[in-house]
Amino acid sequence: MNKLIDKIHLILRKNNLTLSVAESCTGGLLSSLLTQNSGSSAFFLLGVVTYSNKAKEQLLSIPHRIIAKKGAVSEETALLMAKQIRKISQSDLSLSITGIAGPLGGTLKKPVGTVFIATASSKRVICQKFLFRGNRNQIRMQAAKESLKLLKATIA
């Protein structure tokens, strides 16, 4: 994963792009990975952990009706998280992650391991749904890694 992070750092710095992150189920893991190398302040503007629904509503202005109707773990919420953190930070790019890391919280419609990852730029907003397997930490790490892969695909 370090090679992937190094490549992302290089591309972001080379293209003078900035990045912001809004996380839920990863609890700051993605931000930590993105800032583990020296020089990340050249592109990393802001990372927030909006773990609760209230935090998503208050900090990212996710409408309560979206969370009530679609859920905090949904494509709609992930897309809005990515759009809002990009707007708040005025970054070129953003990433968001929302999901169910478990072992509690899963349902038949959204089992443990369900994760939505979104990225936003001035040109497009993309969201992907994943169903990861493993324990809580494995699911969190898989979500962070897939976020990095999505970011790399977006900027490459």
Side-chain angles (χ1 to χ4, degrees), residues 99-110:
I100 305 166
L104 304 175
T107 65
L108 287 175
K109 284 188 172 184
K110 294 179 189 173

Side-chain angles (χ1 to χ4, degrees), residues 83-97:
K83 288 179 187 177
Q84 288 301 105
I85 195 65
R86 184 175 171 272
K87 180 180 175 184
I88 291 165
S89 68
Q90 298 181 2
S91 62
D92 298 307
L93 304 163
S94 66
L95 280 171
S96 71
I97 304 174

Side-chain angles (χ1 to χ4, degrees), residues 19-150:
L19 176 67
S20 57
V21 172
E23 303 179 65
S24 186
C25 68
T26 46
L29 177 60
L30 178 60
S31 295
S32 179
L33 291 170
L34 283 163
T35 58
Q36 72 183 9
N37 293 353
S38 179
S40 57
S41 61
F43 63 84
F44 192 86
L45 298 184
L46 177 66
V48 298
V49 178
T50 53
Y51 213 75
S52 70
N53 292 350
K54 187 175 182 179
K56 288 174 185 68
E57 292 173 21
Q58 290 181 344
L59 296 175
L60 297 175
S61 301
I62 308 299
H64 176 77
R65 71 180 189 289
I66 297 292
I67 293 175
K69 184 175 180 181
K70 300 293 183 174
V73 178
S74 65
E75 179 178 9
E76 292 82 359
T77 298
L79 288 167
L80 286 170
M81 287 172 67
K83 288 179 187 177
Q84 288 301 105
I85 195 65
R86 184 175 171 272
K87 180 180 175 184
I88 291 165
S89 68
Q90 298 181 2
S91 62
D92 298 307
L93 304 163
S94 66
L95 280 171
S96 71
I97 304 174
T98 184
I100 305 166
L104 304 175
T107 65
L108 287 175
K109 284 188 172 184
K110 294 179 189 173
V112 168
T114 302
V115 176
F116 291 88
I117 301 170
T119 183
S121 70
S122 63
K123 296 180 182 176
R124 63 182 179 163
V125 183
I126 301 167
C127 185
Q128 294 181 352
K129 179 182 178 180
F130 297 89
L131 184 56
F132 299 120
R133 301 203 185 281
N135 65 37
R136 180 178 182 81
N137 286 332
Q138 291 168 329
I139 289 168
R140 292 174 68 233
M141 186 57 75
Q142 289 172 77
K145 186 174 183 178
E146 287 301 324
S147 297
L148 293 170
K149 287 181 183 179
L150 180 59

